[in-house]
Amino acid sequence: METSDEELYRRIRKGDRQALAELYERREPALYRYALQLSGNRATAEEAAHEAFLRLIQPDARFDARRGSLEAYLYGAVRNLTRVAYRAQSVGTVGEAAVDDGTVQTLIDGETTRALNIAVRNLPAGYRDAVVLCDLEERSYEDAAKLVGCPVGTIRSRLYRARRLLAAKLRQYRLTPEKIAR
Amino acid sequence: MSTAKCGEWSNELAECARRGAGPSEGLSAHLSDCGRCGERWEAERTLSAELRRLRLAHAGERSQDVWRRRLMAEFAPLERSQSRSWFRWAWVPASVALLVVASVQVWLGMPGRNVPAQLSVESEDFAGAGFLDIDEENGFIPVPYALPLATGESVRIVRRELNGAELVRMGIDLPGGYAGGLADDFEADIVLGEDELPRAVQLVSYPELRFQTGEQLQ
């Protein structure tokens, strides 16, 4: 039987290196992808995933198992870190460059998919989380609700509205491709 | 076409498009009847296909090694501090145990304890230290059954008051005139070996006893 994240965390607090390695292997790849889909920037995603684990191993780490799962804590940390980085990026750059850093975009094959990538990142935060977790990470509504910390119904309705917005953006892109990122 | 009927199919339409599943018979019939829902169906399916492409683009190969090493390097100080923390807590019971042992030893060494071989060395007057040949000619009465001093073993001489009973317990007989005075105090220089055990006694306050041993008295 697989050791729970919380048990691994308890061992990490006691200085167990192996437990940290195990938790890292288990959770880091998905956290990285999540950060990448939120930020669209590989460097930001790497830093955010790394920083989330760094926070976890600090003596003053604020994880409390009574308030939610360790996975939700890590996702929350990545979400906040990505938002901060994204805001800083937006302040530091102007217009299109703020949303299209060219890092991930170059990996995406197809104009429409690239446009969709930008559109996802420009969604309101709550909608973006729902799309990323449910449609890109393929998590269930229940999982997504736990990770975001809201009711399942909220995730469903956010996803529904987000998809309507994205579909509209894609339709608009087909008509006028140059406007998609706005 | 009634809007209420479109609302009935809305959730199923979105879920089927998300999962890439075909529409049920009922939904299929509705889609063929309702142009607006038909358009939405196509838009949702296109969106799902694009999201799948996006997912694949994000799932590219990547090495975690550098980041894992960095994390482990950051963990090392914490690992050490956790060990130190454990060590620090381990000191508490160790210190308590040490304190208890020390207290017991002090108590055992108190004057009046019935352990003559462990007379207190915290004597009133320090008389001297160095090497000494214990024999009766220099006024010291060897303590019977005490281990002899090793060659070159340094000794410490302490001065204190012993009563007759203590002297008797150490194996030193009192002469006839004093035999009944077990409660009398005798000022004595005591020779202690390196193990802090008494080896010889010289009575200071009664010089007439200085050259008498138990054997001579018998």
Side-chain angles (χ1 to χ4, degrees):
Chain A
M1 192 176 153
E2 193 180 61
T3 312
S4 71
D5 288 356
E6 288 71 24
E7 175 56 28
L8 289 175
Y9 176 71
R10 274 191 288 278
R11 283 164 47 189
I12 290 167
R13 303 307 301 172
K14 290 177 185 167
D16 187 336
R17 202 176 179 77
Q18 187 55 40
L20 178 62
E22 195 175 331
L23 185 69
Y24 188 81
E25 287 301 319
R26 187 186 295 175
R27 296 295 173 207
E28 199 272 349
L31 286 171
Y32 164 77
R33 276 198 314 274
Y34 178 56
L36 182 62
Q37 283 149 356
L38 292 180
S39 68
N41 184 305
R42 281 195 294 185
T44 301
E46 299 276 18
E47 289 287 350
H50 182 68
E51 184 66 28
F53 276 95
L54 274 187
R55 288 183 179 188
L56 195 66
I57 64 172
Q58 294 308 308
D60 58 347
R62 286 185 292 178
F63 168 67
D64 182 353
R66 288 167 300 186
R67 293 169 57 192
S69 68
L70 183 66
E71 189 184 16
Y73 171 85
L74 288 169
Y75 269 80
V78 165
R79 190 160 49 244
N80 291 333
L81 290 162
T82 309
R83 274 180 198 158
V84 170
Y86 188 74
R87 230 174 276 147
Q89 232 176 32
S90 303
V91 170
T93 52
V94 181
E96 291 294 285
V99 291
D100 184 6
D101 53 72
T103 313
V104 172
Q105 289 295 85
T106 54
L107 297 175
I108 300 172
D109 194 18
E111 285 293 320
T112 313
T113 314
R114 275 202 285 273
L116 179 64
N117 188 38
I118 294 170
V120 168
R121 286 185 351 242
N122 284 339
L123 284 171
Y127 291 7
R128 186 170 62 232
D129 282 338
V131 170
V132 168
L133 290 170
C134 296
D135 280 355
L136 294 177
E137 283 293 301
E138 298 184 292
R139 307 295 293 251
S140 67
Y141 291 128
E142 289 75 18
D143 274 359
K146 279 180 196 160
L147 296 180
V148 173
C150 69
V152 176
T154 307
I155 286 287
R156 277 180 180 273
S157 62
R158 283 179 185 172
L159 182 64
Y160 179 87
R161 291 188 190 120
R163 287 181 64 97
R164 296 297 290 260
L165 283 173
L166 291 175
K169 284 274 187 187
L170 283 185
R171 202 178 309 120
Q172 185 188 354
Y173 175 75
R174 290 209 173 101
L175 297 173
T176 50
E178 71 282 0
K179 290 183 180 172
I180 187 68
R182 306 263 160 83
Chain B
M1 182 58 51
S2 78
T3 315
K5 206 170 179 186
C6 292
E8 279 173 30
W9 294 106
S10 181
N11 282 342
E12 188 181 333
L13 184 155
E15 283 302 315
C16 285
R18 272 192 71 222
R19 292 198 302 266
S24 63
E25 271 185 37
L27 176 59
S28 213
H30 176 70
L31 292 176
S32 58
D33 286 349
C34 177
R36 201 171 143 205
C37 285
E39 271 180 34
R40 189 178 159 215
W41 170 249
E42 285 308 315
E44 289 275 359
R45 279 164 54 89
T46 305
L47 176 63
S48 294
E50 292 297 339
L51 284 169
R52 267 195 295 278
R53 284 196 198 100
L54 193 55
R55 183 165 64 237
L56 290 174
H58 285 159
E61 286 295 311
R62 152 185 182 254
S63 170
Q64 293 172 281
D65 288 350
V66 176
W67 295 95
R68 189 191 297 105
R69 274 200 299 273
R70 277 177 61 176
L71 182 70
M72 290 305 172
E74 295 272 0
F75 185 60
L78 178 76
E79 203 175 12
R80 278 198 294 274
S81 80
Q82 293 290 352
S83 308
R84 276 199 298 272
S85 162
W86 178 87
F87 191 64
R88 202 163 45 236
W89 282 108
W91 269 106
V92 175
S95 304
V96 169
L98 200 63
L99 193 66
V100 168
V101 168
S103 303
V104 167
Q105 286 202 337
V106 166
W107 181 74
L108 285 174
M110 283 170 70
R113 291 283 306 145
N114 192 17
V115 188
Q118 293 180 2
L119 283 173
S120 169
V121 296
E122 290 164 13
S123 152
E124 295 79 11
D125 296 311
F126 175 71
F131 300 99
L132 181 73
D133 288 327
I134 297 174
D135 54 36
E136 289 149 16
E137 285 185 7
N138 56 23
F140 284 96
I141 305 167
V143 174
Y145 311 116
L147 288 173
L149 289 171
T151 308
E153 182 178 349
S154 62
V155 297
R156 204 156 67 86
I157 302 172
V158 297
R159 179 165 294 177
R160 62 172 296 184
E161 282 192 346
L162 299 172
N163 63 34
E166 282 178 309
L167 283 169
V168 168
R169 277 202 298 272
M170 287 173 74
I172 296 171
D173 293 333
L174 297 175
Y178 295 94
L182 294 179
D184 292 345
D185 287 334
F186 299 87
E187 193 172 26
D189 286 342
I190 303 169
V191 178
L192 301 172
E194 286 178 359
D195 54 6
E196 298 292 322
L197 295 176
R199 294 299 202 286
V201 178
Q202 183 185 56
L203 299 175
V204 179
S205 54
Y206 294 87
E208 67 269 28
L209 296 177
R210 289 177 71 169
F211 302 106
Q212 296 179 342
T213 65
E215 286 169 358
Q216 285 175 315
L217 290 167
Q218 285 167 4

